[in-house]
Amino acid sequence: MIVDFEYFAPKTVAEALSLLAQHKGEAKIIAGGQSMLVVMKRGLLTTENLVDIKGIDALDYIKYDEGKGLRIGPLTIHRAIEKSPIIQKHYRVLSEMEHNLATVQTRNWGTIGGNLCHGDPAGDPAPVLIALNAKLKIASSKGERIIETEDFSQDYLEVALEPDEMLIEIQVPTPPPHTGTASEKLMVMKGDMGIVGAAVSITLNPKDGVCKDARIALSNCGSTPLRAKKAEKKLIGKVLNDSLLIEAGEVASEETAPPADVHGSSEYRKEMVGVFVRRAAIKALEKAKAA
Ligand SMILES: Cc1cc2nc3c(=O)[nH]c(=O)nc-3n(C[C@H](O)[C@H](O)[C@H](O)COP(=O)(O)OP(=O)(O)OC[C@H]3O[C@@H](n4cnc5c(N)ncnc54)[C@H](O)[C@@H]3O)c2cc1C
């Protein structure tokens, strides 16, 4: 049952931030409502004031600049990211990740900002954005700040936002030359939430083929998305081959202690981390070689 609340529909960011400041601690943002309504209907969240930002057109955009990289407004729906020609050309992994996120109907209404701010560790976008070294721009009526995507999730359904703050931009840098990024998730059916997921980014030195940098991020292995830093170290500084990628998967698996859930035991999900890191790393390496 949803408890009564005051409803506001600001048309500008300034208006929304002013409402959040005015009702500090007693207001919640709603965008598409796909995650928010679930927690409200279950009584996990009540609020006196609901600030509906879906009508703020200025937060719905995809912009690309070769130097600055990609900027995505938080109200951009998943389907727009999946279908964006700019993203398909320069950040294909984002489009591929979105293609496997939920159904077309869900992708046509749910927003990237809502997905990140919901703080579900099973969410698909966060690990890919972490692998791409993306940053998030946060605003309140007092000013703006930038946070690394990997520092944004704090705990299960908790993110690093103060009650008067909102996410206003996702910033994805231009990947270094000879970089490939790929993501894979274990699903029962296409579009399901991942039982586990992995995103891997690999940068090669074109002269000798040595891996200059690697970033590995995992979903649904704990209360937040995780970075598998020991597995990254297995790859950096080496000429990559199949056995190294298998080893990186095994190390990533050892770095996790996923809880058991209805989809699988902790041991099964841990094992699958190894498999899905390896699969994503194979694809990332292929892309890096072709880049
Ligand atoms: C059937 C179904 C299947 C799904 N499958 C997947 C899947 O396979 N993979 C996956 O990753 N996700 C999946 N999802 C989750 C889906 O991606 C999210 O529900 C959706 O993106 C949330 O966006 P929203 O605009 O509806 O956010 P809302 O539900 O409106 O908001 C979610 C949270 O974010 C906060 N919020 C929203 N925007 C902002 C902002 N700009 N600043 C600060 N706080 C903000 C809200 O206060 C709320 O806490 C699925 C959801 C459904 C309903």
Side-chain angles (χ1 to χ4, degrees), residues 28-39 45 53-54 59 74-75 78 97 100-103 106 109-119 122-125 161 165-168 185 191-194:
K28 277 296 284 181
I29 290 173
I30 189 164
Q34 282 179 342
S35 295
M36 185 67 175
L37 287 174
V38 174
V39 288
L45 185 143
I53 60 169
K54 191 82 164 151
L59 290 180
L75 286 181
H78 297 293
M97 173 275 292
N100 278 325
L101 185 153
T103 57
T106 303
W109 190 250
T111 65
I112 181 89
N115 183 298
L116 294 171
C117 294
H118 183 53
D124 299 326
L161 281 177
E165 288 184 319
M166 65 190 274
L167 171 65
I168 58 161
K185 70 170 170 173
D192 276 352
M193 295 293 288

Side-chain angles (χ1 to χ4, degrees), residues 88-160:
Q88 286 174 350
K89 183 167 177 203
H90 298 285
Y91 299 86
R92 185 153 51 99
V93 64
L94 278 173
S95 170
E96 290 164 349
M97 173 275 292
E98 292 287 9
H99 184 69
N100 278 325
L101 185 153
T103 57
V104 172
Q105 291 89 335
T106 303
R107 296 201 292 277
N108 262 325
W109 190 250
T111 65
I112 181 89
N115 183 298
L116 294 171
C117 294
H118 183 53
D120 185 341
D124 299 326
V128 175
L129 291 169
I130 293 169
L132 289 169
N133 201 12
K135 291 161 186 34
L136 305 177
K137 194 197 257 190
I138 312 291
S140 74
S141 54
K142 289 176 272 173
E144 294 177 355
R145 65 186 174 100
I146 303 282
I147 182 170
E148 301 286 336
T149 307
E150 68 181 280
D151 297 330
F152 189 56
S153 280
Q154 302 286 294
D155 204 344
Y156 190 72
L157 304 188
E158 271 184 42
V159 293

